[in-house]
Amino acid sequence: MFRFLLWDKTIKENELYKLRNFSLSLISGILLNFTIVLIFHNLKTSLIIGSCISFVGYLFLIKNFEKNKTTDLLSEQFIFSSVGILIIMTIYFSPIMTVPIIGWDGRSIWFFHAKMIYFNGTFHIPRELNNPAYGFSHVDYPKLIPVMAAQINYLVGYWNEYLPKLSLWILYFPPTIYINSFSKRNISYIFLLVLLPLAFYPYLWNGFMDGLLALYVAIGLLLLIEYLENGQKNDLLSALSCIFLIMNIKNEGLLSAIALVMAFLIYQTMNKKLSFKKLDLIIHWRKLLFLFISISPVIIWIIYKNHLGLVNDLNLGSTKSFQMLISRLTDGSYKLILTSVYLQIKGMIYIIGLIGVVNLLLKNSIKKELLLSLITAIIISAGLILIYLFTPHDLNWHLNSSTERTMLVVNGCLIISGYTLLKHLEIDII
Amino acid sequence: MKLSVNTKKVIIIFIFLIMLLILILSRNYLLFFLMVLFGLASIWWRKMLFTLLILLLIFSVYIYTPISKALEEAGVTTLSFVSHPKRPLRLIFTPNSGKEEVLSQPVLSVLSMMEKNNLTNFQLSTKLNIDDYINQRIIEGGYPVIYDMKSNFYFITIEELMNYKNCLILDSSETIYLVDCY
């Protein structure tokens, strides 16, 4: 269905882009499925509607496949990438699926929400969401993963401590495909493949969503840079789909999405490339419909949350939070925050510095697309520092229990910076 | 972005000093030594700079990122799954599996009493409520049995029995009792 909404003659569809377009379809399908649940609430109804849409989509796909049938053999790169995707996903399967839900966030937040949705057979669970005893579970958090997990368990008809994690495994598919679509026999690709997402350990498969969020932010950024380099609409649409998805993973996703869009606009303004003429990408009704469907889950969730009166424990924007901000700026607590943040990103800063120095020594230029990832990293870091300045919780406890996880997103942006620099370095040297 | 020679030199020295500072502050003396060698090579041994960069990158990624641990865990679990696939597959496809591996004994006792007595709602005593490791696991592990502040059914510790002497004892484990305060 999204193929119908997005495609036009200018969209590339060679073998490399077939992989990326497949991944784009997967993410769009995940978002569409989530939107259907948010609209219809009932798991059974939404599964029937989702299946019907998928069936129609498959018919379109088969029709399109038969129309464009060619006898060309698949390239070596395509085969290697596909085998690579299968191997990586098989490796991810065991640590995700053979270990029960252990991590606190997984048990108390994401899969507990999934359990509530599964046992009620509906997304509409006001009794649980408004129960003060469930306050520890942060019931106001986004519900993409809980809904997916509840749907999986609803399909098999039982609950246990393993199967809900299949939702996590499914969500690792699109980023893995995107990473493999960049495959080349060079050092920069190995750098990307090794660090994404393994640098986000131990928050990859223990039920925390921070690793997944950081991975999607990094992929979104990578695709935006690819769009700036090659100007292909596929990459921009793929990046947008990642941005829309991250807003539904967890609250920090909203900050990351804003940072990515802001960084892109700042970069385009700096390069004087921001013009209304380029809006032709979105002014077509089909693309507007794509944007509308993609952004609707987050909007529906915000409306639903407000309707039920669910508030975040951080109470950002309240008078008390501003008093806290002033007190932390004056009593020197900000130094504690900056130190804690620095400790989480020092390794990646060092690695980027290393590649940057060699870039400057061996080449007379630095790739300007690097700015995009650096601006994104700076905006996200600033946002997180601000949240820590506002927090009503004990600062030491909040920093110790979260900076290692929240700064993964920034590390993801820095990995993309390193990849961009390394790729630029390799162009003439190898 | 094209840079002038002087700007380039200033930027290189600045980045280099920051990197050395990071290494000193994090007490990575091996990497510090390698960085100094790298700095010397950049002056006299320019042709080998890219190879040196790769070597330093391998060291840095190993030291500063958790990928070795991630690979180890992925490797161990994959090997275990491939060599004995029956048990994990049985657990994945068995209703209610996995609780015993995750929840503590007191929590499991409470969940077992909930099931045995067909509870639909419950409350926890003050002592059980104070301990987040216990109350959160009981609340999420026991779901769909609802934590209801108006419920007559209380889970209490053995030390609190005196406070609930007017309630009827329905069930008990070693240290936890289920009482009905109707």
Side-chain angles (χ1 to χ4, degrees), chain B residues 121-125 128-129 146-156 178:
Chain B
N121 52 58
F122 70 99
Q123 285 200 63
L124 295 174
S125 67
L128 286 175
N129 246 333
I146 301 280
Y147 188 101
D148 184 353
M149 286 165 189
K150 289 174 187 162
S151 174
N152 293 335
F153 303 105
Y154 281 82
F155 285 100
I156 62 171
L178 167 64

Side-chain angles (χ1 to χ4, degrees), chain A residues 104 107-108 115 120 128 131 133-134 158-162 194 201 205 346 350 358 360-361 364 366, chain B residues 1 8 19 26 38 46 60 67 73 91-94 96-97 101-102 136-137 139-141 143 147:
Chain A
W104 188 89
R107 285 209 73 80
S108 292
K115 206 175 180 183
N120 287 283
E128 281 80 358
N131 189 337
Y134 296 168
Y158 59 83
W159 182 267
N160 67 23
E161 305 295 323
Y162 296 91
V194 166
Y201 178 84
W205 36 63
K346 65 174 183 187
Y350 167 76
V358 179
L360 287 167
L361 283 168
N364 278 326
I366 281 187
Chain B
M1 278 185 291
K8 201 176 89 173
M19 287 159 70
S26 43
F38 178 77
R46 197 61 75 91
S60 319
I67 63 157
E73 192 177 309
L91 286 170
I92 291 169
F93 296 109
T94 305
N96 293 318
S97 62
E101 292 175 44
V102 178
Q136 290 180 5
R137 294 290 80 86
I139 290 173
E140 56 86 5
Y143 195 85
Y147 188 101

Side-chain angles (χ1 to χ4, degrees), chain A residues 19-165:
Chain A
L19 281 175
R20 290 188 196 168
N21 295 341
F22 177 62
S23 205
L24 170 63
S25 306
L26 277 179
I27 296 180
S28 308
I30 290 167
L31 283 171
L32 184 61
N33 172 56
F34 185 44
T35 311
I36 293 168
V37 177
L38 285 170
I39 293 170
F40 292 96
H41 290 175
N42 189 289
L43 288 185
K44 195 175 178 181
T45 316
S46 54
L47 273 169
I48 292 169
I49 295 169
S51 306
C52 290
I53 294 175
S54 298
F55 182 70
V56 176
Y58 275 115
L59 288 181
F60 271 115
L61 193 72
I62 292 165
K63 199 180 163 192
N64 185 65
F65 185 72
E66 280 175 354
K67 207 168 125 186
N68 300 325
K69 216 174 185 178
T70 57
T71 50
D72 294 348
L73 288 171
L74 292 171
S75 73
E76 193 182 283
Q77 190 198 353
F78 184 83
I79 294 166
F80 276 125
S81 299
S82 308
V83 172
I85 293 162
L86 288 176
I87 292 172
I88 293 170
M89 288 314 293
T90 311
I91 292 171
Y92 290 165
F93 184 82
S94 310
I96 292 175
M97 294 304 296
T98 64
V99 180
I101 307 160
I102 292 175
W104 188 89
D105 276 32
R107 285 209 73 80
S108 292
I109 303 176
W110 311 112
F111 297 111
F112 183 31
H113 297 179
K115 206 175 180 183
M116 294 179 195
I117 296 168
Y118 163 72
F119 277 106
N120 287 283
T122 172
F123 178 78
H124 186 59
I125 41 172
R127 182 184 58 164
E128 281 80 358
L129 297 181
N130 285 317
N131 189 337
Y134 296 168
F136 72 87
S137 176
H138 300 282
V139 285
D140 62 295
Y141 280 14
K143 298 277 183 283
L144 174 71
I145 284 114
V147 161
M148 282 179 72
Q151 282 182 314
I152 291 164
N153 284 81
Y154 190 80
L155 276 174
V156 294
Y158 59 83
W159 182 267
N160 67 23
E161 305 295 323
Y162 296 91
L163 207 53
K165 284 174 87 186

Side-chain angles (χ1 to χ4, degrees), chain B residues 37-50 52:
Chain B
L37 277 182
F38 178 77
L40 293 173
S42 67
I43 302 166
W44 292 299
W45 209 18
R46 197 61 75 91
K47 281 182 183 173
M48 288 300 286
L49 210 55
F50 192 75
L52 273 173

